[in-house]
């Protein structure tokens, strides 16, 4: 199961408020704690140990929240399709094999969201892991080692959304 919930930012005070609504209404989970690893990746600890584990990842833009929920580790990133960015300096930090695919802002944002979703899956940071991670031809490598990951890209809600998981299934998107 890979679900992506999205909402207008104006409809929720924060992403934790949206996550609470999702956990309560879609999964009937009311008692939980959120912990973070040393890099800030959030993890869910359910109070009821009889429930199966649940993983989540959050991304937000100026206009929207996106929360991916799965029964396995998950990473998500989103960017507004219309976002204009001076990407040339950032692109220099990407692998040469990735750079050839970037011809415009939209190409860059697709690659950026894919890489960031994988870094979130890893529990890492852009600062430490951007240069180590390469995404070419639907393959993710980290420090030269191929990872068994799938990155699914979608354009939804006027955003490019990339979801990274080990699951070979297309995420189910739901507006909240």
């Amino acid at each position: 199961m890979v679900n992506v919930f999205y909402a207008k930012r104006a409809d929720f005070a924060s992403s934790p408020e949206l996550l609470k609504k999702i956990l309560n209404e879609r999964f009937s989970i009311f008692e939980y704690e959120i912990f973070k690893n040393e890099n800030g990746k959030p993890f869910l600890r359910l109070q009821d140990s009889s429930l199966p584990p649940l993983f989540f990842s959050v991304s937000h833009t100026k206009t929207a929240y996106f929360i991916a929920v799965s029964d396995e580790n998950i990473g998500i990133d989103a960017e507004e399709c219309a976002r204009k960015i001076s990407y040339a300096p950032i692109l220099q930090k990407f692998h040469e094999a990735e750079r050839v695919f970037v011809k415009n802002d939209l190409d860059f944002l697709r690659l950026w969201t894919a890489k960031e979703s994988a870094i979130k899956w890893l529990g890492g940071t852009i600062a430490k892991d951007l240069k180590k991670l390469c995404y070419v031809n639907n393959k993710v490598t980290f420090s030269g080692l191929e990872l068994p990951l799938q990155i699914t890209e979608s354009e939804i809600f006027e955003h490019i959304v990339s979801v990274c998981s080990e699951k070979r299934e297309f995420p189910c998107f739901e507006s909240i």
Side-chain angles (χ1 to χ4, degrees):
M1 161 215 43
V2 177
N3 293 313
V4 175
F5 302 92
Y6 59 97
K8 290 180 183 176
R9 223 175 145 140
D11 293 344
F12 292 89
S14 65
S15 56
E17 180 186 322
L18 175 58
L19 178 63
K20 180 179 180 179
K21 181 178 179 73
I22 293 165
L23 293 174
N24 292 177
E25 294 180 7
R26 299 301 193 274
F27 297 96
S28 298
I29 296 173
F30 302 95
E31 295 183 33
Y32 61 90
E33 291 181 83
I34 296 175
F35 293 92
K36 293 184 178 182
N37 75 4
E38 65 277 2
N39 295 321
K41 178 177 176 149
F43 291 95
L44 198 60
R45 182 177 296 160
L46 305 177
Q47 299 299 324
D48 183 349
S49 60
S50 69
L51 293 172
L54 203 60
F55 298 85
F56 76 99
S57 183
V58 177
S59 185
H60 45 78
T61 67
K62 289 181 180 180
T63 61
Y65 292 118
F66 294 86
I67 298 180
V69 179
S70 179
D71 54 354
E72 292 184 4
N73 192 17
I74 193 88
I76 190 170
D77 191 49
E79 293 286 345
E80 294 177 9
C81 292
R83 182 174 179 192
K84 299 297 178 204
I85 186 166
S86 177
Y87 60 82
I90 302 167
L91 196 58
Q92 294 309 308
K93 297 179 183 188
F94 286 23
H95 284 264
E96 188 175 330
E98 295 171 315
R99 291 183 213 150
V100 299
F101 296 104
V102 177
K103 307 288 187 230
N104 55 48
D105 287 352
L106 208 52
D107 291 344
F108 175 78
L109 293 173
R110 284 186 178 104
L111 180 57
W112 178 265
T113 60
K115 287 176 71 92
E116 188 161 348
S117 72
I119 290 170
K120 287 180 176 183
W121 182 91
L122 288 165
T125 67
I126 290 291
K128 290 192 310 188
D129 299 321
L130 184 64
K131 288 184 180 181
K132 297 177 190 175
L133 191 125
C134 182
Y135 179 62
V136 174
N137 297 327
N138 298 317
K139 292 182 183 177
V140 179
T141 57
F142 186 76
S143 296
L145 177 67
E146 187 173 338
L147 302 177
L149 300 176
Q150 175 174 310
I151 297 177
T152 305
E153 176 201 306
S154 303
E155 285 191 30
I156 192 155
F157 205 48
E158 299 178 10
H159 286 74
I160 296 170
V161 180
S162 291
V163 178
C164 180
S165 72
E166 291 183 63
K167 293 204 173 271
R168 301 289 179 208
E169 65 184 67
F170 194 81
C172 176
F173 285 86
E174 182 179 342
S175 176
I176 300 291

